[in-house]
Amino acid sequence: MYDIVIIGAGVSGCAIARELSRYRAKVCVVEKYEDVCCGTSKANSAIVHAGFDAEAGSLMAKLNVRGNEMMEPLAGELDFPFLRNGSLVTMYQEEDRPNLVKLYENGLANGVKGMKILGQQELHAMEPNIAPQAAAALYAPTGGIVCPFGLTIALAENAFTNGVEFRFNTEVQKLQPVKGGWSLTTSTGTMTAKYVVNAAGVYADVFNNMVSKVKIHITPRRGNYCLLDKSTGGFVKHTIFQLPGKYGKGVLVSPTVHGNTIVGPTAVDIADRDGTNTTAEELSELTEKAGRMVRGLPIRQVITSFAGLRAHEEHHEFVIGEVPDAPGFINCAGIESPGLTSSPAIGKMVADLLCNKMGLEPDPDFSGVRKGILDPKKLSHEEYQKLIREKPAYGNMICRCEMITEGEILDAIHRPLGAKSLDGVKRRTRAGMGRCQAGFCSPRTMEILARELGVSQEKITKCGGASGLIVGTNKDSL
Amino acid sequence: MKQYDIVMIGAGPAGLAAAVSAYDAGARSILLLERDSQLGGILNQCIHNGFGLHTFHEELTGPEYAKRFVDEVRKRNIEYKLNTMVINISHEKVITAVNRSDGLMEIQAKAIVLAMGCRERSRGALNIPGYRPAGIYSAGTAQRLVNMEGYLPGRRVVILGSGDIGLIMARRMTLEGAKVLVVAELMPYSGGLKRNIVQCLDDFNIPLKLSTTVINIEGKERVTGITLAKVDDHRKPIPGTEEHYDCDTLMLSCGLIPENELSRSMGVQINPVTNGPCVNESLETNIPGVFAAGNVLHVHDLVDYVSEEAASAGSAAAGYAALGTNRSARREIPLETSGGPRYTVPCTIDPDHMPEKLTVRFRVGNVIKNKAVSVYFDQDRIIHRKRPVMAPGEMEELVLTKKYFNEHPDLSKIRICVESV
């Protein structure tokens, strides 16, 4: 019997796992997909919100501000990309000023530090590409950007090296209370656990509603995004939000931590919990809305578009805690924006809760430091030269757009919880994330994966399951 | 730091031809840098025939065509490095490259020929809505898997875009046992060569649907279907014209983009129409001693013209390397276009540095029938040639001889236009 089983290896599940790995406990994360970070955590704005949005006094507000504070030291410990670039909520009509002030006051109540309302001149000096009619903005210097894959993978790797088990391709189908805990029927067998943590993202209500009479309701809220080429890097320096106003809730235009520009998201409530498709309507809505916020949006530089789902709980609040009529079942539900920001604080909150309940002992062997994949681009000429002499794979360039070497791909495959698919390699190294979108490197990455995993290329997938890239060999049907 | 007179960035058809011609023009210190594991570039995956009709007056496959030039390179003992990626070129022509055996190296060149080729426009850049499953391939990626590795990327295929690689792959996939259901083309005309439409689609009964695009991609893991729709004159899908296809693969052949990231970062001026460098009659960019040829300059349809163009760049580079900066001041007579041609290569001409006969290449933006191509030297029409059909998929060329320039000593601009006969 496990002490704790966490359902879902998204950013919340992995943050909880990493916090729990500080203690002596038998913990397992079960994940439906083949890798961590395959659901909501992989497709979002990648923003570390300052915390002025969430309603004062809410759990969401508290965890947002706390998560924001925790992100910087965490990025240091776990070596993932994070940048405090500051955010600007921009106002385009004078009549919206009361709303801007209200937002500022809400931020103050939430404990957001350093905020300031900027006048037109100051705003345009800070962001020369802002639309001319932008009249004022709420500036929050604590706003930041993060690599959502980098964060989630780092949390998971560190949890794993500290003893947390991960079971992939394992879908939880049924939950039943048993003596001293829970029985979980999964697609790969039955598990038992003293405590279950429900971090199932858009499916969290399904699991809650299996065990509790107090129903919760989560709506997948789809957002389309466009990612622009790195040649647009610096188009905006801060994360630009639009103050909700006459045109409804706006979208954001932001640099990413890797130097691209991201535009999004739309917001459409859908029924399909895996409905991550982009639509023509939403993509054109994005272009139109973002086009009003900035001057000369370089939308023709788009390199990819994608959609993510927010796990929208009907009261727009995080639902975290033990379910009263299902003892031992801990919800971590309704984790939508600012969920990514809040994840370090969510992890700590859930771990503290379990620690108190179960009386967990600290694990003296815990090491909270993790090194990410070595990026030769960050080395000096001499250091890089030395690295190639020792490991020639770092001299073999595989992804020409993002300049990713075979050495980095090998590291991604062989490190703890290593990559098993093209997307796994991509999310760990960025190989295939550039302007050609893996046109040149995918056959080479497939070859490396097959060789290193000891399987034929026909077994290599884009993202696990039935996402095979090759269907056979030439003339095999003739 | 190693030093060479001339370094070719890329050893595909352009780099190879440039190296051979630079050698024949007298240069000896020449280096070819190639990122792939063999010389010849994309030609190595183009196993169909039809290459070399102009150059060798026979039909060769891509690898055979490449071998002709590789043999010439070897005969001259021209140095090359494979599996070597150029990661930066400075404005002062210091090339930073990396490979497994040499590690990180810096090379000072006197002259550089940019010959990096192009990349395919991706699904992301086309912004096609739908899911993002496995089974969406650019035609060139599929071509590599099939022709070089023997793997079949899909069994029921829809192709978007009628560029030449897409047409070639429609035939290849059919021959390898896949079913190609349809080729859809956004424009009202094909983007490829007429001969490829006939030999790759018509001969295999593969329908070509013009003014048609993909409006949805289905399948959460692997492609399960796509929806096509007709588009109006503004290329917007027309409701009610949707057609669904069950398929496991969407292949894209929607245009090629010259790969000029290195060029841009070293300060080479790029023509927004071609996405390639602006060059003069010697195929020299705005940076003296930096030349460009092949698909990095503008996308070609026939490799023969790539070789021809690259040979000019190679000999010009040899001339530059020999003379260094001790050149006379240059004139830049601009070439302008109107009424059809979208661009010209070169962009400017210096009559004192041009050869006896200079080939000017261009493409038109639309299918044009029964018109004439004219060349004006200021107000003087010096060429007026009837063309029954011109199409965006086929590159046009015309030859300007030195004689015309001698007759116009005060020439201020050249205009190339399409006009009534």
Side-chain angles (χ1 to χ4, degrees), chain A residues 272 385 400 439 469 472 475, chain B residues 35 104 137 141 152 220 259:
Chain A
D272 183 353
Q385 188 67 278
R400 55 171 87 163
L469 291 154
K475 297 189 172 69
Chain B
R35 56 190 158 200
L104 199 59
Y137 286 98
T141 307
L152 207 55
K220 290 174 182 174
E259 286 231 279

Side-chain angles (χ1 to χ4, degrees), chain A residues 303-469:
Chain A
I303 60 168
T304 191
S305 52
F306 61 90
L309 302 176
R310 284 92 110 186
H312 175 63
E313 193 272 332
E314 57 193 329
H315 307 99
H316 188 53
E317 173 64 308
F318 294 157
V319 180
I320 297 174
E322 189 169 19
V323 175
D325 61 344
F329 185 89
I330 317 291
N331 264 331
C332 180
I335 311 300
E336 63 176 317
S337 178
L340 188 73
T341 311
S342 308
S343 59
I346 292 173
K348 179 133 193 349
M349 179 181 169
V350 175
D352 287 352
L353 187 153
L354 284 162
C355 185
N356 289 337
K357 280 202 159 301
M358 303 173 76
L360 299 175
E361 294 286 325
D363 181 350
D365 296 332
F366 172 79
S367 164
V369 177
R370 169 260 186 193
K371 272 319 279 175
I373 291 174
L374 174 67
D375 178 0
K377 289 187 286 300
K378 291 185 180 152
L379 299 178
S380 71
H381 193 108
E382 292 69 30
E383 288 167 330
Y384 190 14
Q385 188 67 278
K386 184 164 169 279
L387 177 68
I388 299 172
R389 258 201 307 278
E390 286 161 9
K391 294 177 179 169
Y394 283 96
N396 185 18
M397 199 64 74
I398 302 294
C399 167
R400 55 171 87 163
C401 303
E402 293 292 312
M403 299 270 181
I404 307 299
T405 64
E406 185 182 353
E408 291 155 271
I409 294 174
L410 292 177
D411 188 355
I413 295 170
H414 293 301
R415 63 178 28 239
L417 299 180
K420 300 180 281 276
S421 65
L422 223 48
D423 280 358
V425 169
K426 177 169 92 170
R427 287 198 287 269
R428 282 168 179 79
T429 65
R430 296 187 59 76
M433 251 187 221
R435 48 180 69 93
C436 92
Q437 288 286 296
F440 285 114
C441 67
S442 54
R444 303 182 71 187
T445 307
M446 284 157 67
E447 206 178 300
I448 296 170
L449 272 166
R451 185 187 73 210
E452 297 301 315
L453 300 175
V455 298
S456 77
Q457 278 206 48
E458 285 156 275
K459 295 271 184 291
I460 301 301
T461 63
K462 179 174 184 284
C463 49
S467 70
L469 291 154

Side-chain angles (χ1 to χ4, degrees), chain A residues 92-142:
Chain A
Y92 296 86
Q93 293 102 212
E94 202 44 54
E95 70 229 48
D96 286 333
R97 191 172 288 272
N99 293 333
L100 194 72
V101 173
K102 210 183 285 171
L103 203 59
Y104 171 76
E105 284 163 357
N106 195 61
L108 284 183
N110 290 348
V112 179
K113 294 188 185 111
M115 289 183 303
K116 199 175 154 192
I117 289 183
L118 306 179
Q120 190 160 29
Q121 227 171 2
E122 211 174 345
L123 170 61
H124 286 258
M126 268 170 90
E127 284 293 350
N129 289 323
I130 204 90
Q133 70 273 23
L138 171 61
Y139 173 52
T142 57

